[in-house]
Amino acid sequence: MLIDSHCHLNYKGLVEDQQNVLERARDAGIDMMLNIATRENEWDAVLATAERERDVWATVGIHPHEADEHPHVDTAKLVERAAHPRVIGIGETGLDYYYDHSDRARQQASFRAHIAAARQTGLPLIVHTRDAEEDTLAIMRDEMGKGAYPGVIHCFTASGAFADAALELGFYISISGIVTFKNAKDLQETAARLPLDRLLVETDSPFLAPVPHRGKPCEPAFVADTARFLAQLRGESVEVLAEATSGNFNTLFSKVQTEPAT
């Protein structure tokens, strides 16, 4: 069984056919899905899906693209909503200097607010970083000095050096379907050497469908294709990879062990 550690079930492309999307995932051997929030006005819908579906969990957070529109979402608000029994993570948050949809200082302030919420709740931080390795790492290190917090670098596409630094901070690293792309040689080299006990797999659906589904809306069932490719890349059986990544998910997102499934 596999776990999709990062998907957006309430995004256009999946929400219109959500029940069938979930059934296809289950048929593909996907045991659990983490439905990620990116802006406040979707929190209720993300939580409703997690309340309704026994194998779907939720996060609360503000994507860096949305930071300008959410100056009011502070640590206290995140902590308050994270008390919901189906919320098991904080984010996604982080820095995105590729698109710069939000002011960089505002992104950084939001990132730190999320880190504080992760520290207070003990829930893992889900980090998005693109073209912002230096600042992302600087903030993570600075905040770690204020008190430890768990987390994962989601949809990892950064450098091998960034991976090593994140691992040193105790973070997990999640690999998406990008690893299957022909032009992802650097990512493949890094993914091949990541420690098995810090590895997660994800779809980031409805984005980034892996080979052989390129050009289609991505969905959680496709995490099985990413896992097969990654296992072959690493010289492991898919069974070993699935057991390890599922175990890692349950270790990192440990609230799933204490909250009853609905």
Side-chain angles (χ1 to χ4, degrees):
M1 303 298 282
L2 285 158
I3 295 175
D4 184 356
S5 68
H6 192 112
C7 57
H8 300 281
L9 294 170
N10 292 81
Y11 270 24
K12 182 179 179 181
L14 295 183
V15 69
E16 304 92 333
D17 194 32
Q18 192 183 80
Q19 208 57 47
N20 287 323
V21 166
L22 292 170
E23 288 305 319
R24 287 192 292 272
R26 292 160 186 156
D27 289 346
I30 312 307
D31 192 41
M32 205 180 299
M33 290 155 270
L34 182 52
N35 194 19
I36 304 292
T38 57
R39 46 190 177 265
E40 188 180 18
N41 66 7
E42 70 188 22
W43 287 2
D44 288 344
V46 167
L47 284 168
T49 300
E51 289 172 342
R52 187 179 66 247
E53 305 295 338
R54 60 174 176 75
D55 48 1
V56 176
W57 298 85
T59 71
V60 288
I62 304 299
H63 194 285
H65 289 342
E66 308 292 334
D68 280 353
E69 304 301 319
H70 293 81
H72 60 287
V73 177
D74 57 8
T75 298
K77 178 163 282 197
L78 291 164
V79 169
E80 178 186 6
R81 294 304 298 268
H84 189 287
R86 302 296 292 177
V87 172
I88 62 171
I90 304 293
E92 67 186 276
T93 181
L95 305 176
D96 193 309
Y97 294 173
Y98 180 82
Y99 285 108
D100 271 331
H101 287 330
S102 286
D103 174 76
R104 292 185 179 186
R106 183 62 238 161
Q107 291 185 48
Q108 293 168 16
S110 179
F111 189 21
R112 289 184 185 271
H114 283 72
I115 292 173
R119 187 186 296 115
Q120 287 186 33
T121 61
L123 298 180
L125 186 77
I126 296 99
V127 176
H128 168 110
T129 182
R130 188 168 185 190
D131 282 9
E133 289 188 25
E134 184 176 347
D135 283 359
T136 301
L137 189 56
I139 289 173
M140 287 166 54
R141 283 176 170 155
D142 181 59
E143 291 290 337
M144 198 66 75
K146 302 174 186 178
Y149 56 94
V152 56
I153 308 299
H154 109 87
C155 193
F156 185 85
T157 56
S159 67
F162 183 91
D164 294 337
L167 291 168
E168 287 178 12
L169 290 173
F171 270 63
Y172 288 71
I173 293 178
S174 183
I175 301 297
S176 73
I178 293 175
V179 77
T180 70
F181 298 178
K182 288 182 178 180
N183 62 352
K185 298 302 181 186
D186 289 346
L187 174 59
Q188 290 167 7
E189 289 179 8
T190 300
R193 66 171 179 81
L194 291 172
L196 185 59
D197 64 354
R198 297 284 196 86
L199 193 60
L200 299 177
V201 287
E202 66 170 89
T203 58
D204 202 14
S205 52
F207 313 110
L208 307 172
V211 175
H213 305 287
R214 298 287 287 131
K216 302 177 184 177
C218 191
E219 55 185 76
F222 298 169
V223 81
D225 299 279
T226 298
R228 279 190 290 269
F229 181 93
L230 186 58
Q232 184 175 14
L233 179 70
R234 293 170 56 86
E236 298 160 348
S237 71
V238 71
E239 291 81 10
V240 165
L241 184 80
E243 182 177 5
T245 54
S246 295
N248 294 340
F249 181 93
N250 286 314
T251 297
L252 179 61
F253 295 97
S254 57
K255 191 174 175 180
V256 300
Q257 308 299 324
T258 61
E259 297 294 341
T262 56

Short mmCIF file of all heavy atoms in Angstrom, two decimals, residues 159-222:
data_model
loop_
_atom_site.label_atom_id
_atom_site.label_comp_id
_atom_site.label_asym_id
_atom_site.label_seq_id
_atom_site.Cartn_x
_atom_site.Cartn_y
_atom_site.Cartn_z
N SER A 159 18.37 21.53 -5.16
CA SER A 159 19.69 20.94 -5.38
C SER A 159 19.98 19.83 -4.39
O SER A 159 19.34 19.73 -3.33
CB SER A 159 20.76 22.02 -5.24
OG SER A 159 20.82 22.48 -3.89
N GLY A 160 20.97 19.02 -4.74
CA GLY A 160 21.42 17.99 -3.82
C GLY A 160 21.94 18.58 -2.53
O GLY A 160 21.74 18.00 -1.44
N ALA A 161 22.59 19.73 -2.60
CA ALA A 161 23.10 20.39 -1.40
C ALA A 161 21.96 20.83 -0.49
O ALA A 161 22.06 20.72 0.75
CB ALA A 161 23.96 21.59 -1.79
N PHE A 162 20.87 21.31 -1.09
CA PHE A 162 19.72 21.69 -0.27
C PHE A 162 19.11 20.46 0.39
O PHE A 162 18.72 20.50 1.56
CB PHE A 162 18.66 22.39 -1.13
CG PHE A 162 17.47 22.88 -0.35
CD1 PHE A 162 17.45 24.16 0.16
CD2 PHE A 162 16.37 22.06 -0.14
CE1 PHE A 162 16.35 24.61 0.89
CE2 PHE A 162 15.29 22.50 0.59
CZ PHE A 162 15.27 23.78 1.11
N ALA A 163 19.04 19.35 -0.34
CA ALA A 163 18.53 18.11 0.24
C ALA A 163 19.35 17.72 1.46
O ALA A 163 18.81 17.36 2.52
CB ALA A 163 18.55 16.99 -0.79
N ASP A 164 20.67 17.77 1.33
CA ASP A 164 21.54 17.39 2.45
C ASP A 164 21.32 18.30 3.65
O ASP A 164 21.27 17.84 4.80
CB ASP A 164 23.00 17.45 2.01
CG ASP A 164 23.35 16.42 0.94
OD1 ASP A 164 22.63 15.40 0.85
OD2 ASP A 164 24.32 16.63 0.20
N ALA A 165 21.16 19.60 3.39
CA ALA A 165 20.94 20.55 4.48
C ALA A 165 19.60 20.30 5.16
O ALA A 165 19.49 20.37 6.40
CB ALA A 165 21.02 21.98 3.95
N ALA A 166 18.57 20.02 4.37
CA ALA A 166 17.25 19.73 4.95
C ALA A 166 17.29 18.47 5.79
O ALA A 166 16.69 18.41 6.88
CB ALA A 166 16.21 19.61 3.83
N LEU A 167 17.98 17.45 5.30
CA LEU A 167 18.11 16.21 6.06
C LEU A 167 18.82 16.45 7.38
O LEU A 167 18.44 15.89 8.42
CB LEU A 167 18.86 15.17 5.23
CG LEU A 167 18.11 14.62 4.01
CD1 LEU A 167 19.06 13.82 3.12
CD2 LEU A 167 16.92 13.75 4.42
N GLU A 168 19.83 17.31 7.36
CA GLU A 168 20.56 17.63 8.59
C GLU A 168 19.65 18.29 9.62
O GLU A 168 19.86 18.14 10.83
CB GLU A 168 21.74 18.55 8.28
CG GLU A 168 22.90 17.86 7.58
CD GLU A 168 24.03 18.82 7.25
OE1 GLU A 168 24.00 19.97 7.76
OE2 GLU A 168 24.93 18.44 6.48
N LEU A 169 18.65 19.02 9.15
CA LEU A 169 17.69 19.67 10.05
C LEU A 169 16.60 18.70 10.51
O LEU A 169 15.72 19.10 11.27
CB LEU A 169 17.07 20.87 9.36
CG LEU A 169 17.99 22.07 9.14
CD1 LEU A 169 17.30 23.13 8.29
CD2 LEU A 169 18.44 22.67 10.47
N GLY A 170 16.65 17.47 10.04
CA GLY A 170 15.66 16.47 10.45
C GLY A 170 14.45 16.38 9.55
O GLY A 170 13.49 15.67 9.87
N PHE A 171 14.48 17.08 8.41
CA PHE A 171 13.34 17.07 7.51
C PHE A 171 13.27 15.79 6.68
O PHE A 171 14.28 15.13 6.45
CB PHE A 171 13.42 18.28 6.56
CG PHE A 171 12.73 19.50 7.10
CD1 PHE A 171 13.18 20.10 8.26
CD2 PHE A 171 11.64 20.03 6.46
CE1 PHE A 171 12.56 21.23 8.77
CE2 PHE A 171 11.00 21.16 6.95
CZ PHE A 171 11.46 21.76 8.11
N TYR A 172 12.07 15.49 6.23
CA TYR A 172 11.83 14.45 5.24
C TYR A 172 11.78 15.12 3.87
O TYR A 172 11.61 16.33 3.76
CB TYR A 172 10.51 13.73 5.52
CG TYR A 172 10.55 12.83 6.74
CD1 TYR A 172 10.61 13.36 8.03
CD2 TYR A 172 10.50 11.45 6.61
CE1 TYR A 172 10.64 12.55 9.15
CE2 TYR A 172 10.52 10.62 7.73
CZ TYR A 172 10.59 11.18 8.99
OH TYR A 172 10.63 10.35 10.10
N ILE A 173 11.90 14.30 2.83
CA ILE A 173 11.87 14.82 1.46
C ILE A 173 10.87 13.99 0.65
O ILE A 173 10.92 12.75 0.65
CB ILE A 173 13.26 14.78 0.82
CG1 ILE A 173 14.17 15.79 1.54
CG2 ILE A 173 13.18 15.09 -0.68
CD1 ILE A 173 15.58 15.84 1.04
N SER A 174 9.96 14.70 0.00
CA SER A 174 8.90 14.05 -0.76
C SER A 174 9.14 14.22 -2.26
O SER A 174 9.39 15.32 -2.74
CB SER A 174 7.54 14.64 -0.38
OG SER A 174 6.50 13.96 -1.04
N ILE A 175 9.03 13.11 -2.96
CA ILE A 175 9.29 13.06 -4.40
C ILE A 175 7.97 12.94 -5.16
O ILE A 175 7.14 12.09 -4.86
CB ILE A 175 10.21 11.87 -4.75
CG1 ILE A 175 11.54 11.98 -3.99
CG2 ILE A 175 10.44 11.80 -6.25
CD1 ILE A 175 12.38 13.18 -4.33
N SER A 176 7.82 13.79 -6.16
CA SER A 176 6.61 13.80 -6.99
C SER A 176 6.89 13.17 -8.35
O SER A 176 7.99 12.69 -8.63
CB SER A 176 6.13 15.24 -7.19
OG SER A 176 6.99 15.91 -8.09
N GLY A 177 5.89 13.24 -9.23
CA GLY A 177 6.02 12.69 -10.57
C GLY A 177 7.07 13.37 -11.42
O GLY A 177 7.45 12.83 -12.48
N ILE A 178 7.56 14.54 -10.99
CA ILE A 178 8.62 15.21 -11.74
C ILE A 178 9.82 14.29 -11.92
O ILE A 178 10.52 14.36 -12.94
CB ILE A 178 9.04 16.51 -11.04
CG1 ILE A 178 7.90 17.53 -11.09
CG2 ILE A 178 10.30 17.11 -11.69
CD1 ILE A 178 8.18 18.81 -10.31
N VAL A 179 10.05 13.40 -10.97
CA VAL A 179 11.21 12.50 -11.05
C VAL A 179 11.17 11.61 -12.28
O VAL A 179 12.21 11.13 -12.75
CB VAL A 179 11.35 11.67 -9.75
CG1 VAL A 179 10.34 10.52 -9.74
CG2 VAL A 179 12.76 11.14 -9.56
N THR A 180 9.98 11.40 -12.84
CA THR A 180 9.85 10.54 -14.03
C THR A 180 10.12 11.29 -15.33
O THR A 180 10.20 10.65 -16.38
CB THR A 180 8.43 9.93 -14.11
OG1 THR A 180 7.48 10.96 -14.43
CG2 THR A 180 8.04 9.26 -12.81
N PHE A 181 10.26 12.61 -15.28
CA PHE A 181 10.43 13.39 -16.50
C PHE A 181 11.83 13.19 -17.07
O PHE A 181 12.81 13.08 -16.33
CB PHE A 181 10.23 14.88 -16.23
CG PHE A 181 8.86 15.27 -15.73
CD1 PHE A 181 8.59 16.60 -15.42
CD2 PHE A 181 7.84 14.35 -15.56
CE1 PHE A 181 7.34 16.98 -14.96
CE2 PHE A 181 6.59 14.71 -15.09
CZ PHE A 181 6.34 16.04 -14.79
N LYS A 182 11.94 13.19 -18.38
CA LYS A 182 13.22 12.94 -19.04
C LYS A 182 14.27 13.98 -18.69
O LYS A 182 15.47 13.69 -18.65
CB LYS A 182 13.03 12.89 -20.56
CG LYS A 182 12.32 11.63 -21.04
CD LYS A 182 12.21 11.62 -22.56
CE LYS A 182 11.55 10.34 -23.06
NZ LYS A 182 11.43 10.32 -24.54
N ASN A 183 13.84 15.23 -18.47
CA ASN A 183 14.79 16.31 -18.22
C ASN A 183 15.12 16.49 -16.73
O ASN A 183 15.71 17.50 -16.35
CB ASN A 183 14.27 17.63 -18.79
CG ASN A 183 12.97 18.09 -18.14
OD1 ASN A 183 12.37 17.35 -17.36
ND2 ASN A 183 12.54 19.31 -18.44
N ALA A 184 14.74 15.52 -15.91
CA ALA A 184 14.92 15.65 -14.46
C ALA A 184 16.14 14.87 -13.97
O ALA A 184 16.10 14.24 -12.91
CB ALA A 184 13.66 15.17 -13.74
N LYS A 185 17.22 14.92 -14.71
CA LYS A 185 18.40 14.11 -14.38
C LYS A 185 18.99 14.46 -13.02
O LYS A 185 19.38 13.58 -12.25
CB LYS A 185 19.47 14.25 -15.47
CG LYS A 185 19.02 13.77 -16.85
CD LYS A 185 18.58 12.32 -16.83
CE LYS A 185 18.17 11.85 -18.23
NZ LYS A 185 17.61 10.47 -18.20
N ASP A 186 19.09 15.76 -12.72
CA ASP A 186 19.65 16.16 -11.42
C ASP A 186 18.78 15.67 -10.27
O ASP A 186 19.29 15.16 -9.26
CB ASP A 186 19.79 17.68 -11.35
CG ASP A 186 20.90 18.22 -12.25
OD1 ASP A 186 21.72 17.40 -12.72
OD2 ASP A 186 20.94 19.44 -12.48
N LEU A 187 17.48 15.81 -10.43
CA LEU A 187 16.56 15.31 -9.41
C LEU A 187 16.68 13.81 -9.25
O LEU A 187 16.68 13.28 -8.13
CB LEU A 187 15.12 15.70 -9.76
CG LEU A 187 14.03 15.12 -8.85
CD1 LEU A 187 14.22 15.54 -7.41
CD2 LEU A 187 12.65 15.54 -9.37
N GLN A 188 16.79 13.10 -10.37
CA GLN A 188 16.92 11.65 -10.30
C GLN A 188 18.18 11.23 -9.55
O GLN A 188 18.16 10.29 -8.75
CB GLN A 188 16.90 11.07 -11.71
CG GLN A 188 15.55 11.17 -12.39
CD GLN A 188 15.59 10.90 -13.88
OE1 GLN A 188 16.63 10.51 -14.42
NE2 GLN A 188 14.48 11.12 -14.57
N GLU A 189 19.27 11.95 -9.78
CA GLU A 189 20.51 11.64 -9.07
C GLU A 189 20.35 11.84 -7.56
O GLU A 189 20.83 11.03 -6.76
CB GLU A 189 21.65 12.52 -9.59
CG GLU A 189 22.12 12.16 -10.99
CD GLU A 189 23.22 13.07 -11.49
OE1 GLU A 189 23.73 13.89 -10.68
OE2 GLU A 189 23.58 12.98 -12.68
N THR A 190 19.67 12.91 -7.17
CA THR A 190 19.45 13.15 -5.74
C THR A 190 18.49 12.12 -5.16
O THR A 190 18.75 11.56 -4.09
CB THR A 190 18.89 14.57 -5.52
OG1 THR A 190 19.82 15.53 -6.02
CG2 THR A 190 18.65 14.84 -4.04
N ALA A 191 17.40 11.86 -5.86
CA ALA A 191 16.40 10.92 -5.35
C ALA A 191 16.96 9.52 -5.17
O ALA A 191 16.57 8.78 -4.26
CB ALA A 191 15.19 10.88 -6.30
N ALA A 192 17.92 9.16 -6.03
CA ALA A 192 18.50 7.82 -5.96
C ALA A 192 19.31 7.61 -4.69
O ALA A 192 19.49 6.47 -4.25
CB ALA A 192 19.38 7.58 -7.18
N ARG A 193 19.80 8.70 -4.09
CA ARG A 193 20.68 8.55 -2.93
C ARG A 193 20.05 9.01 -1.61
O ARG A 193 20.68 8.93 -0.55
CB ARG A 193 21.97 9.33 -3.15
CG ARG A 193 21.82 10.84 -3.23
CD ARG A 193 23.17 11.53 -3.24
NE ARG A 193 23.10 12.97 -3.33
CZ ARG A 193 22.85 13.79 -2.30
NH1 ARG A 193 22.62 13.28 -1.09
NH2 ARG A 193 22.83 15.10 -2.47
N LEU A 194 18.82 9.47 -1.64
CA LEU A 194 18.18 9.90 -0.40
C LEU A 194 18.01 8.72 0.54
O LEU A 194 17.70 7.60 0.10
CB LEU A 194 16.81 10.52 -0.70
CG LEU A 194 16.79 11.85 -1.42
CD1 LEU A 194 15.36 12.23 -1.80
CD2 LEU A 194 17.42 12.95 -0.57
N PRO A 195 18.20 8.93 1.85
CA PRO A 195 18.01 7.82 2.79
C PRO A 195 16.57 7.33 2.79
O PRO A 195 15.63 8.13 2.81
CB PRO A 195 18.41 8.42 4.14
CG PRO A 195 18.35 9.89 3.96
CD PRO A 195 18.62 10.17 2.52
N LEU A 196 16.41 6.03 2.75
CA LEU A 196 15.07 5.44 2.64
C LEU A 196 14.19 5.82 3.82
O LEU A 196 12.97 5.94 3.67
CB LEU A 196 15.19 3.91 2.54
CG LEU A 196 13.91 3.12 2.30
CD1 LEU A 196 13.24 3.55 1.00
CD2 LEU A 196 14.20 1.62 2.29
N ASP A 197 14.78 6.06 4.98
CA ASP A 197 13.98 6.38 6.16
C ASP A 197 13.56 7.84 6.25
O ASP A 197 12.96 8.25 7.24
CB ASP A 197 14.70 5.95 7.44
CG ASP A 197 16.00 6.71 7.68
OD1 ASP A 197 16.43 7.48 6.80
OD2 ASP A 197 16.60 6.50 8.77
N ARG A 198 13.85 8.63 5.20
CA ARG A 198 13.42 10.04 5.16
C ARG A 198 12.65 10.36 3.89
O ARG A 198 12.47 11.52 3.54
CB ARG A 198 14.64 10.96 5.24
CG ARG A 198 15.42 10.87 6.48
CD ARG A 198 14.76 11.58 7.68
NE ARG A 198 15.78 11.74 8.68
CZ ARG A 198 16.63 12.76 8.73
NH1 ARG A 198 16.54 13.72 7.85
NH2 ARG A 198 17.55 12.80 9.67
N LEU A 199 12.17 9.36 3.20
CA LEU A 199 11.60 9.52 1.88
C LEU A 199 10.07 9.40 1.92
O LEU A 199 9.53 8.51 2.58
CB LEU A 199 12.18 8.44 0.96
CG LEU A 199 11.99 8.55 -0.54
CD1 LEU A 199 12.61 9.82 -1.10
CD2 LEU A 199 12.63 7.33 -1.22
N LEU A 200 9.40 10.31 1.21
CA LEU A 200 7.96 10.23 0.99
C LEU A 200 7.70 10.33 -0.50
O LEU A 200 8.56 10.78 -1.27
CB LEU A 200 7.22 11.37 1.70
CG LEU A 200 7.34 11.46 3.22
CD1 LEU A 200 6.58 12.69 3.73
CD2 LEU A 200 6.83 10.21 3.91
N VAL A 201 6.50 9.93 -0.92
CA VAL A 201 6.08 10.08 -2.31
C VAL A 201 4.75 10.83 -2.34
O VAL A 201 3.96 10.77 -1.40
CB VAL A 201 5.94 8.72 -3.04
CG1 VAL A 201 7.30 8.13 -3.34
CG2 VAL A 201 5.09 7.75 -2.24
N GLU A 202 4.53 11.55 -3.44
CA GLU A 202 3.33 12.38 -3.57
C GLU A 202 2.99 12.57 -5.03
O GLU A 202 3.79 12.27 -5.93
CB GLU A 202 3.57 13.75 -2.93
CG GLU A 202 4.63 14.57 -3.65
CD GLU A 202 4.68 16.01 -3.16
OE1 GLU A 202 5.42 16.29 -2.20
OE2 GLU A 202 3.99 16.86 -3.77
N THR A 203 1.78 13.13 -5.26
CA THR A 203 1.40 13.51 -6.62
C THR A 203 1.41 15.02 -6.84
O THR A 203 1.67 15.48 -7.94
CB THR A 203 0.00 13.01 -6.98
OG1 THR A 203 -0.94 13.53 -6.03
CG2 THR A 203 -0.04 11.49 -7.03
N ASP A 204 1.08 15.80 -5.80
CA ASP A 204 0.78 17.23 -5.96
C ASP A 204 -0.35 17.41 -6.96
O ASP A 204 -0.45 18.44 -7.63
CB ASP A 204 2.02 18.03 -6.39
CG ASP A 204 1.91 19.52 -6.06
OD1 ASP A 204 1.02 19.88 -5.27
OD2 ASP A 204 2.69 20.32 -6.61
N SER A 205 -1.20 16.39 -7.09
CA SER A 205 -2.32 16.46 -8.02
C SER A 205 -3.24 17.63 -7.66
O SER A 205 -3.38 17.96 -6.48
CB SER A 205 -3.09 15.13 -8.00
OG SER A 205 -3.44 14.77 -6.67
N PRO A 206 -3.81 18.26 -8.70
CA PRO A 206 -3.95 17.84 -10.10
C PRO A 206 -2.80 18.24 -11.01
O PRO A 206 -2.95 18.25 -12.23
CB PRO A 206 -5.23 18.55 -10.53
CG PRO A 206 -5.20 19.84 -9.76
CD PRO A 206 -4.61 19.49 -8.41
N PHE A 207 -1.64 18.57 -10.44
CA PHE A 207 -0.49 19.01 -11.23
C PHE A 207 0.51 17.87 -11.43
O PHE A 207 0.50 16.88 -10.70
CB PHE A 207 0.20 20.19 -10.55
CG PHE A 207 -0.73 21.27 -10.08
CD1 PHE A 207 -0.97 21.49 -8.74
CD2 PHE A 207 -1.40 22.05 -11.00
CE1 PHE A 207 -1.84 22.47 -8.31
CE2 PHE A 207 -2.28 23.05 -10.58
CZ PHE A 207 -2.51 23.25 -9.23
N LEU A 208 1.39 18.02 -12.41
CA LEU A 208 2.62 17.24 -12.52
C LEU A 208 2.39 15.73 -12.67
O LEU A 208 3.04 14.92 -12.02
CB LEU A 208 3.52 17.48 -11.30
CG LEU A 208 3.82 18.96 -11.00
CD1 LEU A 208 4.55 19.08 -9.67
CD2 LEU A 208 4.63 19.58 -12.14
N ALA A 209 1.49 15.36 -13.55
CA ALA A 209 1.24 13.94 -13.76
C ALA A 209 2.52 13.24 -14.21
O ALA A 209 3.22 13.72 -15.11
CB ALA A 209 0.15 13.74 -14.82
N PRO A 210 2.84 12.10 -13.62
CA PRO A 210 4.06 11.38 -14.00
C PRO A 210 3.89 10.66 -15.32
O PRO A 210 2.77 10.44 -15.80
CB PRO A 210 4.21 10.36 -12.85
CG PRO A 210 2.81 10.08 -12.41
CD PRO A 210 2.08 11.39 -12.56
N VAL A 211 5.01 10.29 -15.91
CA VAL A 211 4.99 9.35 -17.04
C VAL A 211 4.37 8.06 -16.52
O VAL A 211 4.72 7.61 -15.42
CB VAL A 211 6.44 9.10 -17.53
CG1 VAL A 211 6.47 8.04 -18.60
CG2 VAL A 211 7.07 10.41 -18.02
N PRO A 212 3.39 7.44 -17.18
CA PRO A 212 2.96 7.66 -18.57
C PRO A 212 1.70 8.50 -18.71
O PRO A 212 0.98 8.34 -19.69
CB PRO A 212 2.69 6.23 -19.02
CG PRO A 212 2.10 5.59 -17.79
CD PRO A 212 2.81 6.21 -16.62
N HIS A 213 1.42 9.37 -17.77
CA HIS A 213 0.17 10.13 -17.77
C HIS A 213 0.35 11.59 -18.13
O HIS A 213 -0.55 12.39 -17.91
CB HIS A 213 -0.49 10.04 -16.38
CG HIS A 213 -0.70 8.66 -15.89
ND1 HIS A 213 -1.68 7.82 -16.39
CD2 HIS A 213 -0.05 7.94 -14.94
CE1 HIS A 213 -1.63 6.66 -15.76
NE2 HIS A 213 -0.65 6.70 -14.88
N ARG A 214 1.50 11.95 -18.67
CA ARG A 214 1.80 13.34 -19.00
C ARG A 214 0.69 13.93 -19.87
O ARG A 214 0.21 13.30 -20.80
CB ARG A 214 3.14 13.44 -19.72
CG ARG A 214 4.33 12.98 -18.89
CD ARG A 214 4.69 13.94 -17.78
NE ARG A 214 5.33 15.15 -18.28
CZ ARG A 214 4.98 16.37 -17.93
NH1 ARG A 214 3.98 16.57 -17.12
NH2 ARG A 214 5.63 17.41 -18.42
N GLY A 215 0.30 15.16 -19.55
CA GLY A 215 -0.75 15.84 -20.29
C GLY A 215 -2.13 15.65 -19.72
O GLY A 215 -3.07 16.33 -20.14
N LYS A 216 -2.27 14.75 -18.76
CA LYS A 216 -3.56 14.53 -18.11
C LYS A 216 -3.57 15.24 -16.75
O LYS A 216 -2.51 15.49 -16.17
CB LYS A 216 -3.78 13.03 -17.87
CG LYS A 216 -3.75 12.16 -19.10
CD LYS A 216 -3.91 10.70 -18.68
CE LYS A 216 -3.79 9.76 -19.86
NZ LYS A 216 -3.86 8.33 -19.44
N PRO A 217 -4.77 15.54 -16.23
CA PRO A 217 -4.82 15.99 -14.84
C PRO A 217 -4.27 14.88 -13.93
O PRO A 217 -4.65 13.71 -14.08
CB PRO A 217 -6.31 16.23 -14.59
CG PRO A 217 -6.91 16.39 -15.94
CD PRO A 217 -6.10 15.52 -16.86
N CYS A 218 -3.38 15.24 -13.04
CA CYS A 218 -2.82 14.25 -12.13
C CYS A 218 -3.84 13.91 -11.05
O CYS A 218 -4.69 14.74 -10.70
CB CYS A 218 -1.54 14.80 -11.50
SG CYS A 218 -0.57 13.59 -10.59
N GLU A 219 -3.78 12.70 -10.54
CA GLU A 219 -4.65 12.31 -9.44
C GLU A 219 -3.91 11.32 -8.53
O GLU A 219 -2.89 10.74 -8.94
CB GLU A 219 -5.96 11.74 -9.94
CG GLU A 219 -5.86 10.60 -10.90
CD GLU A 219 -7.25 10.19 -11.41
OE1 GLU A 219 -7.81 10.91 -12.27
OE2 GLU A 219 -7.76 9.17 -10.93
N PRO A 220 -4.38 11.15 -7.30
CA PRO A 220 -3.63 10.35 -6.33
C PRO A 220 -3.28 8.93 -6.79
O PRO A 220 -2.24 8.40 -6.39
CB PRO A 220 -4.56 10.32 -5.11
CG PRO A 220 -5.26 11.63 -5.18
CD PRO A 220 -5.52 11.86 -6.65
N ALA A 221 -4.09 8.33 -7.63
CA ALA A 221 -3.77 6.98 -8.11
C ALA A 221 -2.41 6.93 -8.78
O ALA A 221 -1.73 5.88 -8.75
CB ALA A 221 -4.85 6.50 -9.09
N PHE A 222 -1.99 8.04 -9.36
CA PHE A 222 -0.74 8.06 -10.13
C PHE A 222 0.50 8.00 -9.24
O PHE A 222 1.61 7.85 -9.76
CB PHE A 222 -0.67 9.29 -11.02
CG PHE A 222 -1.76 9.40 -12.06
CD1 PHE A 222 -1.94 10.58 -12.78
CD2 PHE A 222 -2.61 8.33 -12.32
CE1 PHE A 222 -2.93 10.68 -13.74
CE2 PHE A 222 -3.62 8.43 -13.27
CZ PHE A 222 -3.77 9.60 -13.98
#
